[in-house]
Amino acid sequence: VPVRRPDAVESTALGAAGLAGLATGFWADAEAFQAIRRYRTFDPAGSVGARAGYEAWHRAVDTALFWARRQRS
């Protein structure tokens, strides 16, 4: 499944700016604001490196859960 990710991953400030622009009439409508946005489309099939990173992350989560459960008993 292709994924479309916006160029600005942190969009809290951008959303606030967009709403302010709509409120003041800078943008005619939400579509005009969206028209300036840029997106990157990619296929998240993953590479060997990405798979290894995911496996390392999963081991780290399992380890953290093991220690969290051990401390409770």
Side-chain angles (χ1 to χ4, degrees), residues 6-61:
D7 57 349
V9 179
E10 171 46 61
S11 57
T12 304
L14 185 60
L19 290 173
L22 286 169
T24 61
F26 185 81
W27 303 108
D29 52 30
E31 288 76 26
F33 173 65
Q34 286 292 327
I36 66 159
R37 302 290 310 270
R38 301 290 177 251
Y39 295 87
R40 176 177 171 239
T41 302
F42 62 95
D43 183 6
S47 63
V48 174
R51 180 71 184 162
Y54 173 75
E55 289 170 359
W57 172 82
H58 202 275
R59 273 193 315 275
V61 169

